[in-house]
Amino acid sequence: MEKKTPNKYNICLTYGTFDMFHFGHLSLLLRCKNQCDQLIVGVATDKYNKFKNKESFQSENQRFNFINMLPLVDKTIYEHNFSIQWKKDYKKYKANAIIMGDDHVGELDYLIKEGLNIIYLKRTTGISTTDIKEKLKCKKYSFFIQEKWIETKNIFNRINKNINKNDHFSILGISNKIEAHYELYQFWNNSKKVDLIFFFDDIEEINLLKRKINYWKKLKG
């Protein structure tokens, strides 16, 4: 149901949790951006996820910061409750369309009656946050911490050289202070052994994620 047109929309909205950001997320956002000149992304809050009976490994701040630093995203907002805020967002940002993954096909058709353009894009097959959580549950994991951009190439070389992807789940935490985020994705695309990348403000965020992962592995093991 992906819209095939040479004419891009001016402004598009999309929403999601974006927990444990992976290639499927990136692919979807790239195709969202291909539909418009300006892409606004709504990141679900922890409170909204709890309302939907969803639990994220990463806090809303971590997820928000990651999406906000993607070069292809023009603006990041919080999603507090889609059914309540979509009309306000659509009007406030003068959007031309709302884009969602095809796992929501039909769910937003009622908005067409409100005069909205709704686009459903195909999800990337073979990868999802659920799949990543299952892999993490069954594998050992290794954390790599990067606080300076100059460390990027060496860290990715270490990951590619030393980590057996069949045995390990590789997590790379990167300081929010690093500016060269666009180059980061080039390295990520070249390193198929990095399962999860996230940005952090301080070391306590990393320790919190470690505790959460250990608790979840123990609970699910």
Side-chain angles (χ1 to χ4, degrees), residues 73-115:
V73 175
D74 297 286
K75 186 176 183 61
T76 311
I77 60 177
Y78 279 113
E79 179 189 12
H80 299 282
N81 188 316
F82 176 81
S83 62
I84 295 175
Q85 77 179 76
W86 69 262
K87 184 177 287 188
K88 178 181 177 182
D89 290 344
Y90 205 81
K91 183 177 180 180
K92 179 178 180 179
Y93 300 110
K94 300 179 180 178
N96 307 110
I98 293 177
I99 308 175
M100 301 296 280
D102 62 358
D103 52 332
H104 295 284
V105 165
E107 292 181 15
L108 304 183
D109 286 356
Y110 72 94
L111 298 181
I112 297 175
K113 297 178 182 179
E114 300 281 346

Side-chain angles (χ1 to χ4, degrees), residues 52-200:
K52 296 186 294 181
N53 294 316
K54 292 180 67 174
E55 183 179 2
S56 299
F57 268 118
Q58 295 166 283
S59 70
E60 61 186 48
N61 289 336
Q62 290 175 323
R63 294 181 284 109
F64 183 97
N65 288 338
F66 193 98
I67 298 299
N68 195 47
M69 292 179 183
L70 287 169
L72 57 91
V73 175
D74 297 286
K75 186 176 183 61
T76 311
I77 60 177
Y78 279 113
E79 179 189 12
H80 299 282
N81 188 316
F82 176 81
S83 62
I84 295 175
Q85 77 179 76
W86 69 262
K87 184 177 287 188
K88 178 181 177 182
D89 290 344
Y90 205 81
K91 183 177 180 180
K92 179 178 180 179
Y93 300 110
K94 300 179 180 178
N96 307 110
I98 293 177
I99 308 175
M100 301 296 280
D102 62 358
D103 52 332
H104 295 284
V105 165
E107 292 181 15
L108 304 183
D109 286 356
Y110 72 94
L111 298 181
I112 297 175
K113 297 178 182 179
E114 300 281 346
L116 277 69
N117 294 304
I118 305 299
I119 304 170
Y120 298 109
L121 299 182
K122 289 190 67 174
R123 295 278 185 178
T124 304
T125 58
I127 185 168
S128 68
T129 299
T130 301
D131 293 334
I132 289 176
K133 288 180 179 179
E134 285 300 310
K135 291 178 182 178
L136 180 56
K137 180 176 68 175
C138 301
K139 294 183 179 183
K140 298 177 181 178
Y141 70 89
S142 299
F143 259 98
F144 296 85
I145 307 302
Q146 177 183 358
E147 297 186 272
K148 297 179 181 178
W149 165 245
I150 196 171
E151 301 169 349
T152 303
K153 189 171 183 178
N154 288 335
I155 287 178
F156 273 82
N157 286 339
R158 281 171 49 208
I159 292 172
N160 284 325
K161 181 178 180 180
N162 298 323
I163 297 298
N164 185 328
K165 191 170 179 64
N166 294 323
D167 297 328
H168 277 75
F169 187 97
S170 301
I171 303 171
L172 176 59
I174 300 172
S175 171
N176 275 333
K177 298 176 183 178
I178 295 177
E179 298 292 339
H181 296 298
Y182 180 76
E183 291 87 344
L184 169 65
Y185 301 109
Q186 294 179 321
F187 280 105
W188 190 13
N189 284 328
N190 291 328
S191 179
K192 303 307 180 184
K193 296 181 180 179
V194 178
D195 296 287
L196 169 65
I197 297 179
F198 72 98
F199 292 106
F200 64 90

